[in-house]
Each structure stands twice: as C-alpha cells, then as structure tokens.
Amino acid sequence: QVQLVESGGGLVQVGGSLRLSCAASGRIFSINDMGWYRQAPGKQREMVAVITSGGSTNYLDSVKGRFTVSRDNAKNTVYLQMNSLKPEDTAVYYCNANIIGVAALPGWYWGQGTQVTVSS
C-alpha cells in the first residue's frame, strides 16, 4: 500500500517561513510528478507547486518568488519551502504524487493534509 505522509505545517506570523515535507512509502517502483496543493475554507483546491521527476517546476502565480518546491528522489520525498508568508497563504496543504507501485499501474495519491496558518 502506497501512502504519502506530510509534516511541517503550523502557525507562523506574516513574513515568516515554513518548510513542508512529504514522504512516500510502500511498494514503490518509481515516482513521476510530485507536488503541493492547498485548499482554504470555502474555496476550491488549487495547485501550488509541482516538480517532475526530472526537476522541472511549475508554480501558482501568487507564490512565485516566495515558494520553492524540491524533491529528494532517493528518499521519495518532496519539499515545499515557503518564505514571505501572507495571510492569504492560510490553507490546508496537500501533497500529491503520481506513483508507479511495484507490479501496479501508475496512480495519483494524496497526503492527509497539513494546516498552515499565517497570522497578521
């Protein structure tokens, strides 16, 4: 059974920083895209940042220059470094990955979510 486990959320003041981590575990053959999504109360879930297995990245316009997504393929882990945080960044952040399991077809997996709250 493949699963994604996130860590690193919390409460931070405006202008502060947080680093989220998400580790994939289980019978994994390889991982394609990995990324982060977020959902604020009353809003739809949106893509924040995605990184391919080759290291190409894509970001939500509002986080460009403030957030950095990276991955450690040896650890099956994706990170999201969040700097200069704003109140509008407050949301539940979800890890997402396209994983090929051992003797299995590729599938999309989600983490359980971690709360990020930016106080003004």
Side-chain angles (χ1 to χ4, degrees):
Q1 182 75 7
V2 173
Q3 62 177 344
L4 300 176
V5 178
E6 301 148 351
S7 60
L11 174 65
V12 64
Q13 291 188 332
V14 169
S17 299
L18 282 175
R19 188 190 194 210
L20 305 182
S21 300
C22 172
S25 63
R27 292 170 53 81
I28 297 170
F29 177 74
S30 67
I31 304 178
N32 297 319
D33 292 359
M34 302 185 82
W36 295 91
Y37 288 69
R38 68 186 182 188
Q39 187 166 19
K43 295 188 177 181
Q44 290 189 330
R45 190 172 297 190
E46 62 182 356
M47 184 277 292
V48 176
V50 173
I51 184 168
T52 68
S53 57
S56 297
T57 57
N58 190 29
Y59 293 93
L60 178 69
D61 283 347
S62 62
V63 309
K64 287 179 180 177
R66 300 189 297 121
F67 291 11
T68 302
V69 62
S70 60
R71 62 191 286 174
D72 184 334
N73 291 328
K75 296 181 178 180
N76 290 335
T77 299
V78 62
Y79 305 96
L80 185 67
Q81 178 66 44
M82 303 184 293
N83 299 328
S84 302
L85 283 160
K86 304 176 181 180
E88 51 265 41
D89 295 319
T90 296
V92 177
Y93 284 70
Y94 296 91
C95 174
N96 174 259
N98 184 252
I99 296 174
I100 303 174
V102 174
L105 294 173
W108 289 97
Y109 294 84
W110 291 92
Q112 79 282 5
T114 185
Q115 178 70 46
V116 171
T117 302
V118 184
S119 65
S120 56

